Amino acid sequence: MLAALLVVGLLCTAALQLINVVRTAQFNEDIVNGTMVLLSQRLRQDPGALSDLAARFDAQLSLLPAEQATHDGYERRRLQRGRVVIKTSDDGRTAQLLRQMNNEQVLKVRLNTVTDVQAQASAYLLLEDWQRSGEAIDSFLARMQPAFGFPLSVVAIDDLFLSNSDYARMQYGDVLVRIAIEGNQAEALVKLPGRPQALRLGPIKAFNPYSWQAIAVVAVIGFMLLGLGVYSVVNSFEVRLRKLEQATSRLAQGHLNARVAVHGGDAVQRLGEAFNKMADHIQRLISIQREMVRAVSHELRTPVARIRFGLQIIEDSVLGDAFVGKQLKGMDADIQELDELIDEILTYARLEEGGPLLDFQRANVADLALQVVEEARPPAHVSVHYRGQAVDQALPVEVEPRYVHRAIQNLVGNAARYARSRVEVSCCIGNDTCRIDVEDDGPGIPEEDWDKVFTAFARLDDSRTRSSGGYGLGLSIVRRIVYWHGGRALVGRSDALGGARFSLIWPRRHPD
């Protein structure tokens, strides 16, 4: 930022200098334009007055053909528009003033020195033109004012606070040139014949390189340059932060190899390095967790299989003992429950570990829902029914059929455990979304528990405990399945049956 401020300061200084070059040229042209107009008018009226005017202005006057006055195209166009062109010699000692008189001639005035002689001659010339015109002084000055870059006015001599010598000079017809003590302005005064008034040319104010207009222009340029500098710096930060945001989103979606390219030595670079270290640590921890889950699943399944095999042998050898057989069946049921728990834990771990490998296919979700209903084995007092779109009319949906089947199965099994007599499954497939609803006529779920019902191992009230069946992972698995399909799982109250209603909503076309 300091470097940007320094550069902006230098550019503003250069801009002020450039603006002042243009303003100085414009100022000089405005000052001499009135005199050049007076000379042009006099020469058009009296071409023979060229030498007399040259002597009065202490300058060299000449008339040049228009095509020889200048070879510069820009200067030629300015002359054709009636502007004055000032050309200064390389050593700055002489100046040439050009103004086009007509289509054929250009007036050229060459000055070696600029003194009060030119001001006096201009005042005399203006006064003579007024006397020749016969107009009222006010109308004459109003007509001539546009040609001059300073005011033309008539003032009472008594209002000028003249010294006795200056007053005497004006009475004799001299042109009085007064310069302010500060040197920042000057004026020329000539007495009007037969009147107690004077014609005033001026005040002619000195050129001010630090006028408010120039400062305003430079300030605007400075603010624009500073704004561009700040924008470039902020935009650089924004681009790099956007890349960091994209990497964070990829990491949240399960792409554990997402990293940020770091360069430079600023705060964003340090933030990127910290993010990469965090991502490495997370990837390492999840890798360890995966290995642990695989190892635990293998270690648990192997003894379970051996126990089940041993129980089968014992059951065959003591088949006649009813008590032992009952205990063996209970043990076998416990082992079956342990096996299902292991399967639930493994499925949940795969879905939570960050981006399972899903094989999306175009499938008939209505048919999947109907299969789950037909395969359901609810308690004897509960019946499961399918209602919704006909299977042959349902639009294809891009899903992972195995996982969607598992999600619907979990919802139906959960509803059957708590239903009093009836469970209904409905399917609705639109042009953009797919929806599955599973409703029951059980006690339902309190509204204050809706947010935590999908939490792993969540236990709500006494009506939904381990004695009712389940391990607290089924709904968590449902939530993760629909999440990886780009949708969401909702819970509410069934309007038709009065119990709980679980809904799965996801896009019909997978975004990837």
Side-chain angles (χ1 to χ4, degrees), residues 415 438-445 464 491-494 498-502:
V438 178
E439 305 174 63
D440 63 69
D441 60 353
I445 300 175
R464 291 176 177 266
V491 62
R493 182 172 300 279
S494 172
R501 181 186 66 207
F502 288 88

Side-chain angles (χ1 to χ4, degrees), residues 233-249:
V233 173
V234 172
N235 184 64
S236 174
F237 276 95
E238 183 181 3
V239 170
R240 295 164 64 190
L241 288 175
R242 192 180 299 117
K243 292 181 179 179
L244 181 60
E245 179 188 6
Q246 293 172 354
T248 305
S249 300

Side-chain angles (χ1 to χ4, degrees), residues 86-144:
I86 301 176
K87 302 173 69 174
T88 305
S89 61
D90 296 336
D91 56 8
R93 295 182 179 180
T94 61
Q96 294 181 6
L97 283 62
L98 302 175
R99 188 179 189 278
Q100 189 156 342
M101 293 182 55
N102 49 52
N103 294 333
E104 299 178 354
Q105 289 182 313
V106 170
L107 172 62
K108 175 182 177 182
V109 178
R110 185 175 185 274
L111 293 172
N112 294 323
T113 57
V114 178
T115 63
D116 58 350
V117 173
Q118 288 84 25
Q120 294 173 351
S122 297
Y124 278 131
L125 204 59
L126 186 64
L127 183 61
E128 292 172 359
D129 283 353
W130 167 62
Q131 292 175 325
R132 290 185 179 184
S133 67
E135 298 179 54
I137 185 63
D138 292 335
S139 60
F140 173 77
L141 294 181
R143 180 169 59 84
M144 297 299 298

Side-chain angles (χ1 to χ4, degrees), residues 211-225:
S211 65
W212 69 267
Q213 296 94 335
I215 298 299
V217 172
V218 172
V220 170
I221 294 174
F223 279 119
M224 292 178 62
L225 293 175

Side-chain angles (χ1 to χ4, degrees), residues 247-501:
T248 305
S249 300
R250 285 178 54 81
L251 185 65
Q253 293 171 0
H255 301 281
L256 300 181
N257 59 344
R259 297 295 184 272
V260 180
V262 294
H263 56 84
D266 53 15
V268 178
Q269 181 263 342
R270 294 192 295 272
L271 180 62
E273 291 180 348
F275 173 83
N276 290 340
K277 290 180 181 178
M278 178 196 69
D280 291 337
H281 186 62
I282 292 175
Q283 189 174 28
R284 184 167 59 254
L285 291 178
I286 292 181
S287 178
I288 294 173
Q289 179 195 26
R290 290 175 179 176
E291 292 298 327
M292 183 188 68
V293 170
R294 293 190 187 98
V296 168
S297 65
H298 176 74
E299 295 299 329
L300 285 176
R301 286 188 182 278
T302 300
V304 166
R306 289 201 299 265
I307 292 173
R308 173 167 289 175
F309 180 70
L311 286 176
Q312 186 65 42
I313 295 176
I314 295 174
E315 184 179 0
D316 293 341
S317 62
V318 294
L319 193 58
D321 193 331
F323 177 77
V324 174
K326 181 179 179 180
Q327 296 300 318
L328 291 175
K329 288 182 179 180
M331 293 172 64
D332 185 68
D334 290 338
I335 293 172
Q336 179 64 28
E337 183 178 342
L338 179 60
D339 192 41
E340 292 176 357
L341 175 60
I342 293 172
D343 182 64
E344 292 277 279
I345 292 175
L346 289 177
T347 302
Y348 180 75
R350 281 195 299 270
L351 293 170
E352 284 286 352
E353 66 186 5
L357 297 177
L358 302 181
D359 182 19
F360 286 92
Q361 304 173 15
R362 293 169 65 86
N364 191 327
V365 175
D367 188 39
L368 291 177
L370 184 60
Q371 289 179 20
V372 173
V373 171
E374 294 174 348
E375 296 168 357
R377 297 292 180 266
H381 65 282
V382 177
S383 59
V384 181
H385 303 272
Y386 173 80
R387 63 179 178 86
Q389 282 184 315
V391 174
D392 56 351
Q393 297 179 357
L395 297 173
V397 182
E398 295 178 1
V399 295
E400 216 291 3
R402 181 168 55 92
Y403 277 111
V404 171
H405 184 279
R406 176 66 175 272
I408 302 173
Q409 190 178 57
N410 283 8
L411 291 181
V412 171
N414 182 77
R417 282 194 294 271
Y418 305 113
R420 293 187 178 94
S421 61
R422 185 177 181 86
V423 174
E424 291 186 354
V425 179
S426 61
C427 177
C428 179
I429 303 174
N431 292 329
D432 299 319
T433 59
C434 178
R435 177 173 182 140
I436 297 292
D437 292 307
V438 178
E439 305 174 63
D440 63 69
D441 60 353
I445 300 175
E447 187 173 350
E448 61 269 16
D449 294 328
W450 287 358
D451 292 336
K452 57 184 179 180
V453 70
F454 292 102
T455 305
F457 301 107
R459 303 259 67 86
L460 301 181
D461 53 22
D462 294 338
S463 67
R464 291 176 177 266
T465 60
R466 183 62 59 84
S467 61
S468 301
Y471 311 103
L473 287 176
L475 295 180
S476 298
I477 292 174
V478 170
R479 182 193 63 177
R480 297 309 294 174
I481 289 174
V482 74
Y483 169 80
W484 290 116
H485 280 75
R488 54 180 179 162
L490 306 174
V491 62
R493 182 172 300 279
S494 172
D495 297 330
L497 301 181
R501 181 186 66 207

